[in-house]
Amino acid sequence: MFDPYSRHAARMRKQRRHALALRLCQVFSRASKQAKTTVSPFKVGDYVAGDDPFNGSKEGVVVVIKGPSIGLRTVVPTGGTLVYYDYRQLRRPW
């Protein structure tokens, strides 16, 4: 007869809980990683124009992409500075 309180049954329940906890940890880890990374429509090397009330309107080349922030290397008027914009504030100039 099967005893639900036997060592074997207790060990199996513990293994199932451990497997479930491991799987939940993997699912939440993957979800947090996807939430942190955003898909930007721009790539490094694209020429874009950014318009922001704090940084002003500038054109430049995409140099850095870190999450939702995109770093532009501007040419005019302050030669070669790096300005960060949110990717939603950028557009193609043509």
Side-chain angles (χ1 to χ4, degrees):
M1 186 162 147
F2 179 72
D3 181 17
Y5 299 106
S6 70
R7 288 184 184 177
H8 176 70
R11 186 172 52 234
M12 293 303 291
R13 281 194 303 271
K14 185 177 180 181
Q15 287 177 352
R16 273 186 258 142
R17 278 194 309 256
H18 180 68
L20 179 62
L22 181 66
R23 182 69 182 139
L24 284 173
C25 184
Q26 290 173 348
V27 167
F28 287 131
S29 174
R30 186 179 309 136
S32 69
K33 188 182 293 185
Q34 287 178 349
K36 290 178 186 175
T37 60
T38 58
V39 178
S40 172
F42 306 107
K43 295 183 173 80
V44 174
D46 287 349
Y47 186 76
V48 295
D51 188 22
D52 181 27
F54 301 106
N55 293 330
S57 179
K58 296 182 179 154
E59 294 183 357
V61 178
V62 175
V63 179
V64 179
I65 299 176
K66 289 186 179 180
S69 298
I70 294 181
L72 292 182
R73 176 80 57 197
T74 60
V75 181
V76 178
T78 57
T81 60
L82 189 65
V83 180
Y84 284 93
Y85 284 97
D86 190 289
Y87 75 95
R88 294 169 291 206
Q89 297 170 333
L90 297 175
R91 62 177 174 75
R92 300 201 192 277
W94 49 89

Coordinates of all heavy atoms in Angstrom, one line a residue:
M1 N 0.8 -1.2 0.0 CA 0.0 0.0 0.0 C 0.9 1.3 0.0 O 1.9 1.3 0.6 CB -0.9 0.0 1.2 CG -1.9 1.1 1.3 SD -3.1 0.6 2.4 CE -3.5 2.2 3.0
F2 N 0.4 2.3 -0.7 CA 1.2 3.5 -0.8 C 1.0 4.4 0.4 O -0.1 4.7 0.8 CB 0.8 4.3 -2.1 CG 1.5 5.6 -2.2 CD1 2.8 5.6 -2.6 CD2 0.8 6.8 -2.0 CE1 3.5 6.8 -2.8 CE2 1.5 8.0 -2.2 CZ 2.8 8.0 -2.6
D3 N 2.1 4.8 1.0 CA 2.0 5.7 2.2 C 2.4 7.1 1.8 O 3.6 7.3 1.4 CB 3.0 5.2 3.3 CG 3.0 6.0 4.5 OD1 2.0 6.7 4.7 OD2 3.9 5.9 5.3
P4 N 1.5 8.1 1.8 CA 1.8 9.4 1.4 C 2.8 10.1 2.3 O 3.3 11.2 1.9 CB 0.4 10.1 1.4 CG -0.4 9.3 2.3 CD 0.1 7.9 2.3
Y5 N 3.1 9.6 3.4 CA 4.0 10.3 4.3 C 5.4 9.6 4.3 O 6.2 9.8 5.2 CB 3.4 10.3 5.8 CG 2.1 11.1 5.8 CD1 0.9 10.4 5.9 CD2 2.1 12.5 5.7 CE1 -0.3 11.2 5.9 CE2 1.0 13.2 5.7 CZ -0.2 12.5 5.8 OH -1.4 13.2 5.8
S6 N 5.6 8.7 3.4 CA 6.9 8.0 3.4 C 8.0 8.9 3.0 O 7.8 10.0 2.4 CB 6.8 6.8 2.4 OG 6.7 7.2 1.1
R7 N 9.2 8.5 3.2 CA 10.4 9.3 2.8 C 10.4 9.5 1.3 O 10.8 10.6 0.8 CB 11.7 8.6 3.3 CG 11.9 8.7 4.7 CD 13.2 8.1 5.1 NE 13.3 8.0 6.5 CZ 14.4 7.5 7.1 NH1 15.3 7.0 6.4 NH2 14.5 7.5 8.4
H8 N 10.1 8.5 0.5 CA 10.1 8.6 -0.9 C 9.2 9.6 -1.4 O 9.5 10.5 -2.3 CB 9.8 7.2 -1.5 CG 9.8 7.3 -3.0 ND1 10.9 7.5 -3.8 CD2 8.7 7.2 -3.9 CE1 10.6 7.5 -5.1 NE2 9.3 7.3 -5.2
A9 N 7.9 9.6 -0.9 CA 6.9 10.6 -1.3 C 7.3 12.0 -0.9 O 7.2 13.0 -1.7 CB 5.6 10.3 -0.7
A10 N 7.9 12.2 0.3 CA 8.4 13.5 0.7 C 9.5 14.0 -0.2 O 9.6 15.2 -0.5 CB 8.8 13.4 2.2
R11 N 10.4 13.1 -0.5 CA 11.5 13.5 -1.4 C 11.1 13.9 -2.8 O 11.6 14.8 -3.4 CB 12.5 12.3 -1.5 CG 13.8 12.7 -2.2 CD 14.9 11.6 -2.1 NE 14.4 10.3 -2.5 CZ 14.5 9.2 -1.8 NH1 15.1 9.3 -0.6 NH2 14.0 8.1 -2.2
M12 N 10.1 13.2 -3.3 CA 9.5 13.5 -4.6 C 8.8 14.9 -4.6 O 9.0 15.6 -5.5 CB 8.6 12.4 -5.1 CG 9.2 11.1 -5.4 SD 10.5 11.2 -6.6 CE 9.6 11.5 -8.0
R13 N 8.1 15.2 -3.5 CA 7.4 16.5 -3.4 C 8.5 17.6 -3.4 O 8.4 18.6 -4.0 CB 6.6 16.5 -2.2 CG 5.2 15.9 -2.4 CD 4.3 16.2 -1.3 NE 4.8 15.9 0.1 CZ 4.6 14.7 0.7 NH1 3.9 13.8 0.1 NH2 5.1 14.5 1.9
K14 N 9.6 17.3 -2.6 CA 10.6 18.3 -2.5 C 11.3 18.6 -3.9 O 11.6 19.7 -4.2 CB 11.7 17.9 -1.5 CG 12.7 18.9 -1.2 CD 13.7 18.4 -0.1 CE 14.7 19.4 0.2 NZ 15.7 18.9 1.2
Q15 N 11.5 17.5 -4.6 CA 12.2 17.6 -5.9 C 11.3 18.4 -6.9 O 11.7 19.2 -7.7 CB 12.5 16.2 -6.5 CG 13.7 15.6 -5.9 CD 13.9 14.2 -6.4 OE1 13.1 13.7 -7.2 NE2 15.0 13.6 -6.0
R16 N 9.9 18.1 -6.8 CA 9.0 18.9 -7.7 C 9.0 20.4 -7.3 O 8.9 21.2 -8.2 CB 7.6 18.3 -7.6 CG 7.4 17.1 -8.5 CD 6.0 16.7 -8.5 NE 6.0 15.4 -7.7 CZ 5.1 15.1 -6.9 NH1 4.0 15.8 -6.7 NH2 5.2 13.9 -6.2
R17 N 9.0 20.7 -6.0 CA 9.0 22.1 -5.6 C 10.3 22.7 -6.1 O 10.3 23.9 -6.6 CB 8.9 22.2 -4.1 CG 7.5 22.1 -3.6 CD 7.4 22.6 -2.2 NE 8.4 21.9 -1.3 CZ 8.2 20.9 -0.4 NH1 6.9 20.5 -0.3 NH2 9.1 20.4 0.3
H18 N 11.4 22.1 -6.0 CA 12.7 22.6 -6.4 C 12.7 22.8 -8.0 O 13.2 23.9 -8.4 CB 13.8 21.7 -6.1 CG 15.2 22.2 -6.5 ND1 15.8 23.3 -5.9 CD2 16.1 21.7 -7.4 CE1 16.9 23.5 -6.4 NE2 17.1 22.5 -7.4
A19 N 12.2 21.9 -8.7 CA 12.1 22.0 -10.2 C 11.2 23.2 -10.5 O 11.5 24.0 -11.5 CB 11.6 20.7 -10.8
L20 N 10.0 23.3 -9.8 CA 9.1 24.5 -10.1 C 9.8 25.8 -9.8 O 9.7 26.8 -10.6 CB 7.8 24.3 -9.3 CG 6.8 25.4 -9.5 CD1 6.3 25.5 -10.9 CD2 5.6 25.2 -8.6
A21 N 10.5 25.9 -8.7 CA 11.2 27.1 -8.3 C 12.2 27.5 -9.3 O 12.4 28.6 -9.7 CB 11.8 27.0 -6.9
L22 N 13.0 26.5 -9.8 CA 14.0 26.7 -10.8 C 13.4 27.2 -12.1 O 13.9 28.2 -12.7 CB 14.8 25.4 -11.0 CG 15.9 25.6 -12.0 CD1 17.0 26.5 -11.5 CD2 16.5 24.2 -12.3
R23 N 12.3 26.6 -12.5 CA 11.6 27.1 -13.7 C 11.1 28.5 -13.6 O 11.2 29.3 -14.5 CB 10.5 26.1 -14.1 CG 9.8 26.4 -15.3 CD 10.7 26.1 -16.5 NE 9.9 26.5 -17.7 CZ 10.5 27.1 -18.8 NH1 11.7 27.5 -18.8 NH2 9.7 27.4 -19.8
L24 N 10.4 28.8 -12.5 CA 9.9 30.1 -12.2 C 11.1 31.2 -12.2 O 10.9 32.3 -12.8 CB 9.2 30.2 -10.9 CG 7.8 29.6 -10.9 CD1 7.2 29.6 -9.5 CD2 6.9 30.3 -11.9
C25 N 12.2 30.8 -11.7 CA 13.3 31.7 -11.7 C 13.8 32.0 -13.1 O 14.1 33.1 -13.4 CB 14.4 31.1 -10.8 SG 15.9 32.2 -10.7
Q26 N 13.8 31.0 -13.9 CA 14.2 31.1 -15.3 C 13.2 32.0 -16.1 O 13.6 32.9 -16.9 CB 14.3 29.8 -16.0 CG 15.5 28.9 -15.6 CD 15.4 27.5 -16.1 OE1 14.4 27.1 -16.7 NE2 16.5 26.8 -16.0
V27 N 11.9 31.8 -15.8 CA 10.9 32.6 -16.5 C 11.0 34.1 -16.1 O 11.0 35.0 -17.0 CB 9.5 32.0 -16.2 CG1 8.4 33.0 -16.7 CG2 9.3 30.7 -16.9
F28 N 11.1 34.4 -14.8 CA 11.2 35.7 -14.4 C 12.5 36.4 -14.8 O 12.6 37.6 -15.1 CB 11.1 35.8 -12.9 CG 9.7 35.6 -12.4 CD1 9.4 34.7 -11.4 CD2 8.6 36.2 -13.0 CE1 8.1 34.5 -11.0 CE2 7.3 36.0 -12.6 CZ 7.0 35.2 -11.6
S29 N 13.6 35.6 -14.9 CA 14.9 36.2 -15.3 C 14.8 36.6 -16.8 O 15.2 37.7 -17.2 CB 16.0 35.2 -15.1 OG 17.2 35.6 -15.7
R30 N 14.2 35.7 -17.6 CA 14.0 36.0 -19.0 C 13.1 37.2 -19.2 O 13.4 38.1 -20.1 CB 13.5 34.8 -19.8 CG 13.4 35.0 -21.3 CD 12.9 33.8 -22.0 NE 13.6 32.6 -21.6 CZ 13.0 31.4 -21.4 NH1 11.7 31.3 -21.5 NH2 13.7 30.4 -21.1
A31 N 12.0 37.3 -18.5 CA 11.1 38.4 -18.6 C 11.8 39.7 -18.2 O 11.5 40.8 -18.8 CB 9.9 38.2 -17.7
S32 N 12.6 39.7 -17.1 CA 13.2 41.0 -16.7 C 14.3 41.4 -17.8 O 14.5 42.6 -18.0 CB 13.9 40.8 -15.4 OG 15.0 39.9 -15.4
K33 N 14.9 40.4 -18.4 CA 15.9 40.8 -19.4 C 15.3 41.4 -20.6 O 15.7 42.3 -21.2 CB 16.7 39.5 -19.8 CG 17.9 39.8 -20.7 CD 18.6 38.5 -21.1 CE 19.2 37.8 -20.0 NZ 20.0 36.7 -20.3
Q34 N 14.1 40.8 -21.0 CA 13.4 41.4 -22.1 C 12.8 42.8 -21.8 O 12.7 43.6 -22.7 CB 12.3 40.5 -22.6 CG 12.7 39.2 -23.3 CD 11.6 38.3 -23.7 OE1 10.5 38.5 -23.2 NE2 11.9 37.3 -24.5
A35 N 12.4 43.0 -20.6 CA 11.9 44.3 -20.2 C 13.0 45.4 -20.2 O 12.7 46.5 -20.5 CB 11.2 44.2 -18.8
K36 N 14.2 45.0 -19.9 CA 15.3 45.9 -19.8 C 15.8 46.3 -21.2 O 16.3 47.4 -21.4 CB 16.5 45.4 -19.0 CG 16.2 45.3 -17.5 CD 17.3 44.7 -16.8 CE 17.0 44.5 -15.4 NZ 18.1 43.8 -14.7
T37 N 15.7 45.4 -22.1 CA 16.2 45.7 -23.5 C 15.0 46.2 -24.3 O 13.9 45.6 -24.3 CB 16.8 44.4 -24.2 OG1 15.8 43.4 -24.2 CG2 18.0 43.9 -23.4
T38 N 15.2 47.2 -25.0 CA 14.1 47.8 -25.9 C 14.6 47.6 -27.3 O 15.8 47.7 -27.6 CB 13.9 49.2 -25.6 OG1 15.1 50.0 -25.8 CG2 13.3 49.4 -24.2
V39 N 13.7 47.5 -28.2 CA 14.0 47.4 -29.6 C 14.0 48.7 -30.2 O 12.9 49.4 -30.3 CB 13.0 46.4 -30.3 CG1 13.4 46.3 -31.8 CG2 13.1 45.1 -29.7
S40 N 15.1 49.2 -30.6 CA 15.2 50.5 -31.2 C 15.2 50.4 -32.8 O 15.8 49.5 -33.3 CB 16.6 51.2 -30.8 OG 16.8 52.4 -31.6
P41 N 14.5 51.2 -33.5 CA 14.5 51.2 -34.9 C 15.7 51.7 -35.6 O 15.9 51.5 -36.8 CB 13.3 52.1 -35.3 CG 13.2 53.0 -34.2 CD 13.6 52.3 -33.0
F42 N 16.7 52.2 -34.8 CA 17.9 52.7 -35.3 C 19.1 51.8 -35.0 O 19.1 51.1 -34.0 CB 18.2 54.1 -34.8 CG 17.1 55.0 -35.0 CD1 16.3 55.4 -33.9 CD2 16.8 55.5 -36.2 CE1 15.2 56.3 -34.1 CE2 15.7 56.4 -36.4 CZ 14.9 56.8 -35.3
K43 N 20.1 51.8 -35.8 CA 21.3 51.0 -35.6 C 22.5 51.9 -35.5 O 22.5 53.1 -35.9 CB 21.5 50.0 -36.8 CG 20.4 49.0 -36.9 CD 20.7 48.0 -38.0 CE 19.8 46.9 -38.0 NZ 18.5 47.2 -38.6
V44 N 23.6 51.4 -35.0 CA 24.8 52.2 -34.9 C 25.3 52.6 -36.3 O 25.3 51.7 -37.2 CB 25.9 51.4 -34.2 CG1 27.3 52.2 -34.2 CG2 25.5 51.1 -32.8
G45 N 25.5 53.9 -36.5 CA 26.0 54.3 -37.8 C 24.9 55.1 -38.6 O 25.1 55.7 -39.6
D46 N 23.6 55.0 -38.2 CA 22.5 55.7 -38.8 C 22.6 57.2 -38.6 O 23.0 57.6 -37.5 CB 21.2 55.2 -38.3 CG 20.8 53.8 -38.8 OD1 21.5 53.3 -39.7 OD2 19.8 53.2 -38.3
Y47 N 22.2 57.9 -39.6 CA 22.2 59.4 -39.5 C 20.8 59.8 -39.1 O 19.8 59.5 -39.9 CB 22.6 60.1 -40.8 CG 22.7 61.6 -40.7 CD1 23.8 62.1 -40.1 CD2 21.8 62.4 -41.2 CE1 24.0 63.5 -40.0 CE2 21.9 63.8 -41.1 CZ 23.0 64.3 -40.5 OH 23.1 65.7 -40.4
V48 N 20.6 60.4 -37.9 CA 19.3 60.7 -37.4 C 19.2 62.2 -36.9 O 20.3 62.8 -36.7 CB 18.8 59.8 -36.3 CG1 18.6 58.4 -36.9 CG2 19.8 59.8 -35.2
A49 N 18.0 62.7 -36.7 CA 17.8 64.0 -36.1 C 17.0 63.8 -34.8 O 16.1 63.1 -34.8 CB 17.1 64.9 -37.1
G50 N 17.5 64.5 -33.7 CA 16.8 64.4 -32.5 C 16.2 65.7 -32.1 O 16.9 66.8 -32.3
D51 N 15.1 65.7 -31.5 CA 14.4 66.9 -31.0 C 14.0 66.8 -29.6 O 13.1 65.9 -29.3 CB 13.2 67.3 -32.0 CG 12.7 68.6 -31.6 OD1 13.4 69.5 -31.1 OD2 11.5 68.9 -32.0
D52 N 14.5 67.5 -28.7 CA 14.3 67.4 -27.3 C 14.2 68.8 -26.7 O 15.1 69.6 -27.0 CB 15.3 66.5 -26.6 CG 15.1 66.3 -25.1 OD1 14.0 66.4 -24.7 OD2 16.1 66.1 -24.4
P53 N 13.3 69.1 -25.8 CA 13.3 70.4 -25.2 C 14.5 70.8 -24.3 O 14.8 71.9 -24.2 CB 12.0 70.5 -24.4 CG 11.5 69.1 -24.2 CD 12.2 68.3 -25.3
F54 N 15.1 69.8 -23.8 CA 16.3 70.0 -22.9 C 17.6 70.0 -23.7 O 18.5 70.8 -23.5 CB 16.4 68.9 -21.9 CG 15.2 68.9 -21.0 CD1 14.3 67.9 -21.1 CD2 14.9 69.9 -20.1 CE1 13.1 67.9 -20.3 CE2 13.8 69.9 -19.3 CZ 12.9 68.9 -19.4
N55 N 17.8 69.1 -24.7 CA 19.0 69.0 -25.5 C 18.9 69.8 -26.8 O 19.9 70.1 -27.4 CB 19.3 67.6 -25.9 CG 19.6 66.7 -24.7 OD1 20.2 67.2 -23.7 ND2 19.3 65.4 -24.7
G56 N 17.7 70.2 -27.1 CA 17.6 71.0 -28.4 C 17.5 70.1 -29.6 O 17.4 68.9 -29.5
S57 N 17.5 70.7 -30.8 CA 17.4 69.9 -32.0 C 18.7 69.8 -32.6 O 19.4 70.8 -32.9 CB 16.4 70.6 -32.9 OG 16.3 69.9 -34.1
K58 N 19.2 68.5 -32.8 CA 20.5 68.3 -33.3 C 20.5 67.1 -34.2 O 19.7 66.2 -34.1 CB 21.5 68.0 -32.2 CG 21.7 69.2 -31.3 CD 22.8 68.9 -30.3 CE 22.9 70.2 -29.4 NZ 23.3 70.0 -28.1
E59 N 21.4 67.1 -35.2 CA 21.5 65.9 -36.1 C 22.9 65.3 -35.8 O 23.8 65.9 -35.4 CB 21.4 66.4 -37.6 CG 20.1 66.9 -38.0 CD 20.0 67.2 -39.4 OE1 21.0 67.1 -40.1 OE2 18.9 67.6 -39.9
G60 N 22.9 64.0 -36.0 CA 24.2 63.3 -35.8 C 24.1 61.8 -36.2 O 23.1 61.3 -36.7
V61 N 25.2 61.1 -35.9 CA 25.3 59.7 -36.2 C 25.2 58.9 -34.9 O 25.7 59.3 -33.9 CB 26.7 59.4 -36.8 CG1 26.9 57.9 -37.1 CG2 26.8 60.2 -38.1
V62 N 24.4 57.8 -34.9 CA 24.2 57.0 -33.7 C 25.5 56.3 -33.4 O 26.1 55.6 -34.3 CB 23.1 56.0 -34.0 CG1 23.0 55.0 -32.8 CG2 21.8 56.6 -34.3
V63 N 26.0 56.5 -32.2 CA 27.3 55.9 -31.8 C 27.0 54.8 -30.7 O 27.7 53.8 -30.7 CB 28.2 57.0 -31.2 CG1 29.5 56.4 -30.7 CG2 28.5 58.0 -32.3
V64 N 26.1 55.1 -29.8 CA 25.9 54.2 -28.6 C 24.4 53.9 -28.5 O 23.6 54.8 -28.6 CB 26.4 54.9 -27.3 CG1 26.2 54.0 -26.1 CG2 27.9 55.2 -27.4
I65 N 24.0 52.7 -28.2 CA 22.7 52.3 -27.9 C 22.7 51.5 -26.6 O 23.3 50.5 -26.5 CB 22.0 51.4 -29.0 CG1 22.0 52.2 -30.3 CG2 20.6 51.0 -28.6 CD1 21.5 51.4 -31.5
K66 N 22.1 52.1 -25.5 CA 22.0 51.5 -24.2 C 20.5 51.6 -23.8 O 20.1 52.6 -23.3 CB 22.9 52.3 -23.2 CG 24.3 52.1 -23.4 CD 25.1 52.7 -22.3 CE 26.6 52.4 -22.5 NZ 27.4 53.0 -21.4
G67 N 19.8 50.5 -24.0 CA 18.4 50.4 -23.6 C 17.6 51.4 -24.4 O 17.8 51.5 -25.7
P68 N 16.8 52.3 -23.8 CA 16.1 53.3 -24.6 C 16.9 54.5 -24.9 O 16.4 55.4 -25.7 CB 14.9 53.7 -23.6 CG 15.5 53.4 -22.2 CD 16.4 52.3 -22.4
S69 N 18.1 54.7 -24.4 CA 18.9 55.8 -24.7 C 19.8 55.6 -25.9 O 20.4 54.5 -26.0 CB 19.8 56.2 -23.5 OG 19.0 56.5 -22.4
I70 N 19.9 56.6 -26.8 CA 20.8 56.5 -27.9 C 21.7 57.7 -27.9 O 21.3 58.8 -27.8 CB 19.9 56.5 -29.2 CG1 19.1 55.2 -29.3 CG2 20.8 56.6 -30.4 CD1 18.3 55.0 -30.5
G71 N 23.0 57.4 -28.0 CA 24.0 58.5 -28.1 C 24.3 58.9 -29.5 O 24.6 58.1 -30.3
L72 N 24.2 60.2 -29.7 CA 24.5 60.8 -31.1 C 25.8 61.6 -31.0 O 26.0 62.3 -30.1 CB 23.3 61.8 -31.5 CG 22.0 61.2 -31.8 CD1 21.1 62.4 -32.2 CD2 22.0 60.2 -32.8
R73 N 26.6 61.3 -32.0 CA 27.8 62.1 -32.2 C 27.4 63.2 -33.1 O 27.1 63.0 -34.3 CB 28.9 61.3 -32.8 CG 30.2 62.0 -33.1 CD 31.1 62.2 -32.0 NE 31.4 61.0 -31.3 CZ 31.9 60.9 -30.1 NH1 32.1 62.0 -29.4 NH2 32.2 59.8 -29.6
T74 N 27.3 64.5 -32.6 CA 26.9 65.6 -33.4 C 28.1 66.3 -34.0 O 29.2 66.2 -33.6 CB 26.2 66.6 -32.5 OG1 27.1 67.1 -31.5 CG2 24.9 66.0 -31.9
V75 N 27.8 67.0 -35.1 CA 28.9 67.7 -35.9 C 28.8 69.2 -35.7 O 29.8 69.8 -35.4 CB 28.8 67.3 -37.3 CG1 29.9 68.0 -38.1 CG2 28.8 65.8 -37.5
V76 N 27.6 69.7 -35.7 CA 27.4 71.1 -35.7 C 26.5 71.4 -34.5 O 25.6 70.7 -34.2 CB 26.7 71.6 -37.0 CG1 26.4 73.1 -37.0 CG2 27.5 71.3 -38.2
P77 N 26.6 72.5 -33.7 CA 27.6 73.5 -33.7 C 28.8 73.2 -32.9 O 29.8 73.9 -33.0 CB 26.8 74.7 -33.2 CG 25.8 74.1 -32.3 CD 25.5 72.8 -32.8
T78 N 28.7 72.3 -31.9 CA 29.8 72.0 -31.0 C 30.5 70.7 -31.5 O 30.1 69.6 -31.1 CB 29.3 71.9 -29.6 OG1 28.3 70.9 -29.5 CG2 28.7 73.2 -29.1
G79 N 31.4 70.8 -32.3 CA 32.0 69.7 -33.0 C 32.3 68.5 -32.2 O 33.1 68.5 -31.3
G80 N 31.7 67.4 -32.5 CA 32.1 66.1 -31.9 C 31.5 65.7 -30.6 O 32.0 64.8 -30.0
T81 N 30.6 66.5 -30.0 CA 30.1 66.1 -28.7 C 29.1 64.9 -28.8 O 28.5 64.7 -29.8 CB 29.4 67.3 -28.0 OG1 28.3 67.7 -28.8 CG2 30.3 68.4 -27.8
L82 N 28.9 64.2 -27.7 CA 28.0 63.1 -27.6 C 26.8 63.5 -26.8 O 26.9 63.9 -25.7 CB 28.7 61.9 -26.9 CG 28.0 60.6 -27.0 CD1 27.8 60.1 -28.4 CD2 28.7 59.6 -26.1
V83 N 25.6 63.4 -27.5 CA 24.4 63.8 -26.8 C 23.4 62.6 -26.8 O 23.3 61.9 -27.8 CB 23.7 65.0 -27.6 CG1 22.4 65.4 -27.0 CG2 24.6 66.1 -27.8
Y84 N 22.8 62.4 -25.6 CA 21.9 61.2 -25.5 C 20.5 61.6 -25.6 O 20.0 62.7 -25.1 CB 22.1 60.6 -24.1 CG 23.4 59.8 -24.0 CD1 24.5 60.3 -23.5 CD2 23.4 58.5 -24.4 CE1 25.7 59.6 -23.4 CE2 24.5 57.7 -24.3 CZ 25.7 58.3 -23.8 OH 26.8 57.5 -23.8
Y85 N 19.7 60.8 -26.4 CA 18.3 61.0 -26.6 C 17.6 59.7 -26.4 O 18.2 58.7 -26.4 CB 18.0 61.4 -28.1 CG 18.4 62.8 -28.5 CD1 19.6 63.1 -29.1 CD2 17.5 63.9 -28.2 CE1 19.9 64.4 -29.4 CE2 17.8 65.1 -28.6 CZ 19.0 65.4 -29.2 OH 19.3 66.7 -29.5
D86 N 16.3 59.9 -26.1 CA 15.4 58.7 -26.0 C 15.2 58.3 -27.5 O 15.0 59.2 -28.3 CB 14.1 59.0 -25.3 CG 13.3 57.8 -25.0 OD1 12.8 57.2 -26.0 OD2 13.2 57.4 -23.8
Y87 N 15.1 57.0 -27.8 CA 14.9 56.6 -29.2 C 13.6 57.1 -29.7 O 13.4 57.2 -31.0 CB 15.0 55.1 -29.3 CG 13.8 54.3 -28.9 CD1 12.8 53.9 -29.7 CD2 13.7 53.9 -27.5 CE1 11.8 53.2 -29.3 CE2 12.7 53.2 -27.1 CZ 11.7 52.8 -28.0 OH 10.6 52.1 -27.6
R88 N 12.6 57.4 -28.9 CA 11.3 57.9 -29.4 C 11.4 59.4 -29.8 O 10.5 59.9 -30.5 CB 10.2 57.8 -28.3 CG 10.0 56.3 -28.1 CD 9.1 56.1 -26.9 NE 9.9 56.5 -25.7 CZ 9.7 56.1 -24.5 NH1 8.7 55.3 -24.2 NH2 10.5 56.5 -23.5
Q89 N 12.5 60.1 -29.5 CA 12.6 61.5 -29.8 C 13.5 61.7 -31.1 O 13.8 62.8 -31.5 CB 13.3 62.3 -28.7 CG 12.4 62.3 -27.5 CD 13.2 62.9 -26.3 OE1 14.4 62.8 -26.2 NE2 12.4 63.4 -25.3
L90 N 13.8 60.6 -31.7 CA 14.7 60.6 -32.9 C 13.8 60.3 -34.2 O 12.8 59.6 -34.1 CB 15.8 59.6 -32.8 CG 16.8 59.8 -31.7 CD1 17.8 58.6 -31.6 CD2 17.5 61.1 -31.9
R91 N 14.3 60.8 -35.3 CA 13.7 60.6 -36.6 C 14.7 60.7 -37.6 O 15.8 61.2 -37.4 CB 12.5 61.6 -36.8 CG 13.0 63.0 -36.9 CD 11.9 64.0 -37.3 NE 12.4 65.3 -37.2 CZ 13.2 65.9 -38.1 NH1 13.5 65.2 -39.2 NH2 13.6 67.1 -38.0
R92 N 14.4 60.1 -38.8 CA 15.3 60.3 -39.9 C 15.1 61.6 -40.5 O 13.9 62.1 -40.7 CB 15.0 59.2 -40.9 CG 15.2 57.8 -40.3 CD 15.5 56.8 -41.4 NE 15.4 55.4 -40.8 CZ 16.4 54.8 -40.2 NH1 17.5 55.4 -40.0 NH2 16.2 53.6 -39.7
P93 N 16.1 62.4 -40.9 CA 16.0 63.8 -41.3 C 15.3 63.9 -42.7 O 15.0 65.0 -43.1 CB 17.4 64.3 -41.3 CG 18.3 63.2 -41.3 CD 17.5 62.0 -40.7
W94 N 15.1 62.9 -43.5 CA 14.6 63.0 -44.8 C 13.2 62.4 -44.9 O 12.7 61.7 -44.2 CB 15.4 62.4 -45.9 CG 15.9 61.1 -45.6 CD1 15.3 59.9 -45.9 CD2 17.1 60.7 -44.9 NE1 16.0 58.8 -45.5 CE2 17.1 59.3 -44.8 CE3 18.1 61.4 -44.3 CZ2 18.2 58.6 -44.2 CZ3 19.1 60.7 -43.7 CH2 19.1 59.3 -43.7

